[in-house]
Amino acid sequence: ISFFTGCRSLSQLAELPETHQILRQTCRDYADRELSPIAARLDKEHVYPAKQIQELGAMGVMAMEVPEELGGAGMDYLAYSLAMEEISRGCASTGVVVSVNNSLYIGPILKFGTEEQKKQWIQPFTTGEKVGCFALSEPGNGSDAGAASTTAHQEGDEWVVNGTKAWITNSWDASAAIVFATTDKTLKHKGISAFLVPMPHPGLSLGKKEDKLGIRASSTANIILEDCRIPLGYMLGPRGSGFKIAMQTLDSGRIGIAAQALGIAQASLECAADYAHRRTAFGAPIGKLQAIQFKLADMAVAIEGARLLTWKAALLRDSKKAFTKEAAMAKLAASEAATFCSHQAIQVLGGMGYVTDMPAERHYRDARITEIYEGTSEIQRLVIAGQLLKEYQL
Amino acid sequence: MSGRVLVGVKRVIDYAVKIRVKPDNTGVVTDGVKHSMNPFCEIAVEEAVKLKEKKLIKEVVAVSCGPQQSQETIRTALAMGADRGIHVDVSGKDYENLGPLQVSKILAALAKQEDAQLILLGKQAIDDDCNQTGQMTAALLDWPQGTFASEVSLEGDKINLVREIDGGLEHIKINTPAVITADLRLNTPRYATLPNIMKAKKKKIVTVKPADLGVDVTSRLEVLKVEEPPQRQAGRV
């Protein structure tokens, strides 16, 4: 396809531009010094990293694509992917908080919001003091997003929203949500609209915080809407465009989650490689054994492949080219790399990999969700196949 | 008073890297090894940027002596808030033999050329641990020096300094222009913000050669051999 005619884009895959190298190093330094040392405690105690999110906000990481006039960093999606990977390498929970705020909350408002909505709903959410969330899934439908049963009907100058949203990341820490509700069930997925809802708000309540396998420092809960009233001006984008907004938003979100998965995978590889140097068995470091070497090589290949896919998707998006297929490929490859690498890292560490003294078990638990949220691996395959078949005109 | 501060930033092997001696014992392995800004230089940059934010000085100029890659170190200083950079191009054998005496001659020449009011340096570099450049630069310029600074405050055209010395803390007052070297507790360097990293792209870095400054970088020292420290032996009870 036309991607390879852009020499600048191609060379960026081989060597990042200097600004991006500095950005990557800055985020890595932050993760090494401020996130890695506390990640185990945040996970064990299910603590939201409020201070770190504010520090990241001050750096511009919570609103990377947002123009400077609105308080953001004014950077591109390649930069965002790099930042996400480095942050997640330190703490995967912090990574998902950053990703949801950037891609799922700010993203659609930036793209579909009015200037007034951008000022009201983006500007306060750039500093890390406030974060947003994305309420699409429901207890009755995740992958089947078009079957939304949450409803919104107009009463005078208000929308009245009723329904329950499930699995909402950041819910307990958010100050606003983008809620997808159907304004006309007969139109099926074309009847879904997007709404901006402040939190807390009368008529909006939170379900219990889910007790998850991984990413435990980020909150996940149901959002329950019971005659939740919001002004008409809180609709995001045209009426009936909610499904389109959600799908386009998730395309970009996939790049962020792919980068999160890369961070987890990379942390697993480093943990395993370091251990292989130091642990001796049969008279030598286990890194000398081919069985271990093959594992490390396979891990490295999986990560590098997924990383290049992620960067390519980001570069395509930055060049305003179609990137749906590549973003799905990146998310699929990266999440499967994360589960593979974290699994193998435990294997390399042996018994040590199974206890909390080493981070391998946390990476294993953190990795698992990346194959599920923001589009399951099965949905990614459907998206990729759909695009592929279009290209081959089937 | 120009209100201009020169900050020296040195590109060194990253503190977290495991150092290995080259097989021919002529030095340590640097090829493909991660490098970053000397941690004490980071503290010096942070102090300079803080002085500018307090409007006590007007311009921060980051200086680095070394090969092409030293420009990355200068760019990091620009991302932290320095205004412009000067890269003194020294490479190959000259770079391998570059030490405090030559660097201080370069800094002294630049200080005169740029009409600097203050030179801020790290107290030492973590690769050679020389702890000499600041002191030599002050001597060459016949300027007062405040080394191992853990607190700096400007008072008119004088500087109040707290120095960390073996016996405790020493309080001194020196005239400007002066040379200050930063110790660990002077401040906590900031993480560059993403907008500043973007802005740093547009800031200017000028490249000069030591000869342009009238400095001869020929070394008076010859490294005979570099070895690993002796292996830890078991103790005896």
Side-chain angles (χ1 to χ4, degrees):
Chain A
I1 59 167
S2 55
F3 173 74
F4 285 99
T5 59
C7 278
R8 187 175 149 266
S9 314
L10 183 59
S11 68
Q12 282 181 2
L13 285 183
E15 178 157 10
L16 296 167
E18 198 181 28
T19 30
H20 290 68
Q21 287 184 37
I22 295 181
L23 157 75
R24 191 184 200 188
Q25 190 56 50
T26 303
C27 290
R28 174 168 288 218
D29 286 343
Y30 184 83
D32 282 342
R33 294 176 205 165
E34 312 289 342
L35 295 175
S36 294
I38 63 170
R41 181 180 63 82
L42 293 178
D43 168 75
K44 185 168 181 183
E45 299 172 8
H46 300 235
V47 172
Y48 175 74
K51 174 166 175 275
Q52 288 69 30
I53 291 296
Q54 290 212 29
E55 287 171 352
L56 288 167
M59 285 163 70
V61 172
M62 293 306 285
M64 288 193 67
E65 209 192 4
V66 174
E68 277 192 70
E69 314 88 70
L70 285 170
M75 295 191 103
D76 56 27
Y77 243 59
L78 179 62
Y80 171 57
S81 315
L82 295 166
M84 271 302 303
E85 183 183 336
E86 296 304 329
I87 305 269
S88 304
R89 182 179 155 274
C91 173
S93 303
T94 307
V96 77
V97 174
V98 173
S99 182
V100 166
N101 198 59
N102 269 284
S103 291
L104 299 190
Y105 173 70
I106 289 179
I109 305 175
L110 210 52
K111 193 159 182 202
F112 298 98
T114 62
E115 289 314 305
E116 199 41 57
Q117 283 173 333
K118 288 181 202 175
K119 271 205 210 90
Q120 184 183 351
W121 299 90
I122 294 183
Q123 206 152 14
F125 290 77
T126 59
T127 61
E129 236 185 273
K130 295 188 180 195
V131 298
C133 61
F134 180 84
L136 175 66
S137 292
E138 298 175 351
N141 55 273
S143 296
D144 190 5
S149 65
T150 305
T151 57
H153 68 269
Q154 192 175 341
E155 265 181 34
D157 57 356
E158 285 180 325
W159 290 107
V160 184
V161 187
N162 275 285
T164 307
K165 294 296 184 181
W167 312 121
I168 310 306
T169 304
N170 283 352
S171 44
W172 274 76
D173 309 291
S175 301
I178 300 185
V179 176
F180 293 86
T182 178
T183 36
D184 190 339
K185 266 225 163 92
T186 62
L187 296 175
K188 304 226 183 116
H189 66 272
K190 293 206 174 132
I192 299 175
S193 307
F195 298 90
L196 296 158
V197 185
M199 293 167 74
H201 195 69
L204 187 152
S205 58
L206 296 172
K208 72 168 183 15
K209 254 196 236 189
E210 303 292 351
D211 186 9
K212 306 189 293 289
L213 178 66
I215 55 161
R216 305 214 286 213
S218 78
S219 57
T220 307
N222 285 5
I223 292 182
I224 301 136
L225 303 133
E226 293 167 298
D227 281 346
C228 180
R229 292 170 183 276
I230 49 175
L232 289 181
Y234 282 18
M235 176 177 274
L236 178 67
R239 181 177 177 146
S241 63
F243 187 77
K244 185 183 88 163
I245 292 175
M247 292 304 109
Q248 287 189 22
T249 301
L250 287 168
D251 272 352
S252 297
R254 273 156 204 174
I255 299 177
I257 294 303
Q260 183 205 21
L262 287 175
I264 299 171
Q266 184 65 29
S268 303
L269 173 60
E270 287 170 17
C271 182
D274 183 67
Y275 194 77
H277 268 312
R278 298 196 268 122
R279 171 73 177 177
T280 54
F282 305 103
I286 60 174
K288 296 275 185 200
L289 299 167
Q290 283 188 345
I292 301 298
Q293 290 182 358
F294 286 179
K295 284 185 198 300
L296 296 175
D298 287 340
M299 287 161 79
V301 170
I303 296 174
E304 197 60 40
R307 184 177 288 132
L308 288 172
L309 271 171
T310 307
W311 290 5
K312 180 169 176 181
L315 285 167
L316 283 170
R317 186 187 186 280
D318 290 336
S319 309
K320 305 216 187 304
K321 299 196 162 89
F323 67 99
T324 299
K325 181 182 75 167
E326 287 76 8
M329 291 168 102
K331 201 264 187 185
L332 178 62
S335 54
E336 293 190 347
T339 47
F340 171 72
C341 291
S342 55
H343 181 115
Q344 292 303 323
I346 292 187
Q347 200 63 17
V348 170
L349 266 57
M352 271 319 270
Y354 205 63
V355 295
T356 55
D357 302 54
M358 293 292 271
E361 60 83 28
R362 187 182 79 246
H363 299 324
Y364 186 72
R365 291 184 290 104
D366 286 342
R368 197 59 191 84
I369 189 63
T370 63
E371 285 196 50
I372 297 171
Y373 62 14
E374 293 201 34
T376 60
S377 297
E378 291 69 33
I379 290 293
Q380 304 305 336
R381 287 181 166 90
L382 289 180
V383 170
I384 296 165
Q387 296 290 321
L388 214 51
L389 292 169
K390 253 193 265 175
E391 286 167 29
Y392 288 96
Q393 280 169 335
L394 246 148
Chain B
M1 275 284 115
S2 68
R4 187 171 295 129
V5 175
L6 238 56
V7 182
V9 294
K10 186 179 182 186
R11 180 174 180 266
V12 298
I13 295 178
D14 187 81
Y15 76 92
V17 168
K18 185 170 191 301
I19 307 292
R20 283 173 303 137
V21 174
K22 284 200 280 206
D24 61 4
N25 291 103
T26 56
V28 299
V29 177
T30 55
D31 268 349
V33 168
K34 180 167 175 228
H35 285 64
S36 38
M37 188 189 291
N38 181 42
F40 295 107
C41 299
E42 275 183 14
I43 297 174
V45 173
E46 174 66 23
E47 197 61 23
V49 173
K50 274 169 57 168
L51 287 174
K52 192 178 99 166
E53 283 170 348
K54 287 188 206 153
K55 301 210 195 305
L56 294 168
I57 56 144
K58 293 208 201 82
E59 193 187 25
V60 178
V61 182
V63 178
S64 194
C65 304
Q68 179 69 17
Q69 296 95 313
S70 294
Q71 293 202 13
E72 291 163 22
T73 313
I74 298 175
R75 201 64 74 184
T76 306
L78 295 175
M80 284 174 72
D83 298 293
R84 59 183 167 91
I86 301 176
H87 166 221
V88 182
D89 190 11
V90 181
S91 40
K93 262 272 165 262
D94 280 342
Y95 177 59
E96 282 172 41
N97 296 328
L98 192 66
L101 184 56
Q102 301 102 308
V103 171
S104 48
K105 287 179 183 171
I106 290 169
L107 290 175
L110 280 173
K112 292 199 190 110
Q113 177 187 289
E114 299 290 328
D115 189 23
Q117 181 185 342
L118 188 59
I119 299 179
L120 263 165
L121 306 172
K123 68 170 179 180
Q124 66 199 57
I126 60 170
D127 50 9
D128 54 25
D129 277 344
C130 282
N131 187 351
Q132 298 171 349
T133 305
Q135 293 86 337
M136 285 178 171
T137 308
L140 287 169
L141 288 165
D142 197 24
W143 284 7
Q145 57 183 261
T147 54
F148 310 103
S150 64
E151 256 181 68
V152 170
S153 58
L154 270 53
E155 201 187 291
D157 59 352
K158 297 204 194 297
I159 302 178
N160 289 316
L161 227 109
V162 178
R163 304 180 58 227
E164 296 202 4
I165 60 174
D166 288 345
L169 299 174
E170 185 187 44
H171 298 251
I172 62 171
K173 195 188 209 100
I174 57 177
N175 295 324
T176 54
V179 176
I180 297 177
T181 73
D183 208 327
L184 188 63
R185 279 158 283 273
L186 179 57
N187 60 49
T188 306
R190 65 194 60 194
Y191 293 100
T193 66
L194 273 44
N196 281 343
I197 293 175
M198 291 294 283
K199 288 193 188 109
K201 237 193 334 194
K202 303 197 189 96
K203 295 180 182 173
K204 278 193 159 41
I205 300 179
V206 156
T207 303
V208 300
K209 288 207 160 307
D212 302 339
L213 302 167
V215 174
D216 173 13
V217 290
T218 321
S219 178
R220 286 136 196 236
L221 300 174
E222 186 193 334
V223 171
L224 297 175
K225 192 178 185 195
V226 176
E227 314 177 306
E228 297 257 356
Q231 291 280 28
R232 263 186 92 175
Q233 300 293 328
R236 271 208 335 224
V237 177

